Amino acid sequence: MPLAHVHKAVLPVAGLGTRFLPATRNVPKEMLPLVDRPCLDYVAAEAVAAGIEELVLVTAEGKEAVEAWFRPAPHLEAALERLGRSDLLDEVRRVAAQVRVRTVLQTEARGLGHAVLTARPLVGDEPFAVLLADDVIVSEQPAIGQLLDAWRDSGGAMVALQRVPPEETSRYGICSGTIEQNRMRVTGLVEKPEPARAPSNVAVVGRYVLPPEVFDLLERTPPGRGGEIQLTDALAVLAGRGAVQGLLFEGERFDTGTPLGLLEATLHLALRRPDLAPGLRRILAELPPV
Ligand code: G1P
């Protein structure tokens, strides 16, 4: 039986962004620019390119700019039209025009699992995607599209996987299981284990395709690592039932959730831009030695 189409993607964007204070005092971290586009826009564009029709933003008080990003900007658009800048006009309208956006407020910071559960009323009883805006992935085929293709064969839950240096396991959900080619049959997941306790160095990065059953599991998931309700813990239950697979996807992933990661991503993406690369290379070459 062919599986249902995935129409909706949940984007948890309620985090405080403490790592970027004071910038995030009144600019949500998802709106910080990677060169000249907010991180959020890369991730939203990825979802749209993979055929997602509706974004469910799980947001928080003070993060109105995230929602506003998807609204029309009539004043700006009229001004750009007067200036004859149709090139910029397209950039400004691009993603927002192609996708329906709904928001739900997460009133308490209780973790990623809780954020996903908060989206339940807007997702309903259908499979859905989750994209974490901190993980920006540059790839030929959108990463979430790769996951959706793999999921269409297997059903259940499909998570994006990447091998990480063994000393970095405490930053990720880590999987155990058997790998064949680029697929992992996931038998267990553990949230941010210390290297000595990590079952492998295969890490979950922020792209998931999830069945609606995950909501019931999240309802019953007690606080885990960091006192938060972890999506990883609910997925571990699903994995115990043989319903989780992973895809070692193709693409380069940047962790824009830390200042150093955002800098790294900025440099990499700018070096791929013909209008910026020569100037940036010159600046880098002329940096004084430290
Ligand atoms: C979250 C998840 C973690 C996953 C990571 C990917 O952690 O809890 O399992 O590996 O995203 O980026 P966070 O980075 O939000 O702390």
Side-chain angles (χ1 to χ4, degrees):
M1 196 184 76
L3 289 158
H5 181 65
V6 171
H7 305 273
K8 300 177 185 177
V10 174
L11 271 60
V13 290
L16 282 175
T18 44
R19 290 191 180 114
F20 288 100
L21 279 170
T24 45
R25 186 172 181 268
N26 52 7
V27 178
K29 69 171 174 168
E30 295 78 10
M31 302 311 294
L32 296 177
L34 245 181
V35 188
D36 49 14
R37 288 170 64 193
C39 293
L40 173 74
D41 195 55
Y42 288 85
V43 176
E46 181 190 320
V48 169
I52 295 290
E53 294 144 27
E54 180 173 320
L55 303 180
V56 177
L57 306 176
V58 181
T59 182
E61 215 174 297
K63 303 200 75 171
E64 291 72 22
V66 174
E67 204 182 336
W69 173 253
F70 295 99
R71 278 195 228 113
H75 284 102
L76 177 62
E77 290 179 23
L80 291 174
E81 228 152 285
R82 275 199 306 277
L83 293 167
R85 295 298 310 268
S86 56
D87 53 329
L88 286 177
L89 208 52
D90 291 345
E91 278 299 308
V92 166
R93 286 176 176 159
R94 218 162 43 88
V95 174
Q98 297 175 61
V99 71
R100 206 160 96 98
V101 176
R102 298 168 80 197
T103 57
V104 58
L105 214 58
Q106 186 186 18
T107 48
E108 292 168 277
R110 291 178 59 198
L112 177 60
H114 181 257
V116 171
L117 184 56
T118 304
R120 183 176 200 165
L122 298 189
V123 171
D125 193 26
E126 53 182 276
F128 61 102
V130 176
L131 291 93
L132 306 187
D134 279 354
D135 285 327
V136 170
I137 300 175
V138 180
S139 54
E140 216 162 284
Q141 186 192 359
I144 193 66
Q146 296 177 41
L147 241 64
L148 285 164
D149 282 351
W151 172 84
R152 278 180 200 111
D153 294 342
S154 66
M158 182 65 65
V159 298
L161 298 177
Q162 206 173 43
R163 291 182 200 277
V164 297
E167 64 278 10
E168 290 180 11
T169 56
S170 61
R171 288 167 41 185
Y172 301 95
I174 301 291
C175 295
S176 51
T178 47
I179 295 183
E180 221 174 283
Q181 293 182 346
N182 60 354
R183 295 278 190 98
M184 185 185 226
R185 183 179 293 277
V186 178
T187 51
L189 292 100
V190 38
E191 181 68 2
K192 301 188 177 146
E194 291 307 320
R197 292 171 160 266
S200 76
N201 69 335
V202 179
V204 177
V205 307
R207 302 290 184 275
Y208 309 76
V209 181
L210 301 176
E213 296 82 60
V214 81
F215 290 129
D216 283 340
L217 295 172
L218 285 168
E219 296 268 14
R220 297 197 289 269
T221 301
R225 172 108 195 170
E228 297 187 332
I229 296 176
Q230 298 293 349
L231 180 58
T232 300
D233 293 345
L235 291 178
V237 177
L238 265 187
R241 299 178 187 166
V244 181
Q245 296 223 23
L247 177 74
L248 289 150
F249 64 94
E250 306 261 346
E252 214 177 332
R253 170 219 169 226
F254 299 103
D255 176 6
T256 62
T258 65
L260 195 58
L262 185 68
L263 278 172
E264 185 188 11
T266 304
L267 289 173
H268 275 268
L269 294 187
L271 286 172
R272 285 172 203 187
R273 287 256 304 248
D275 57 330
L276 297 175
L280 180 56
R281 283 200 188 282
R282 201 172 48 244
I283 291 168
L284 292 174
E286 287 168 6
L287 284 180
V290 275

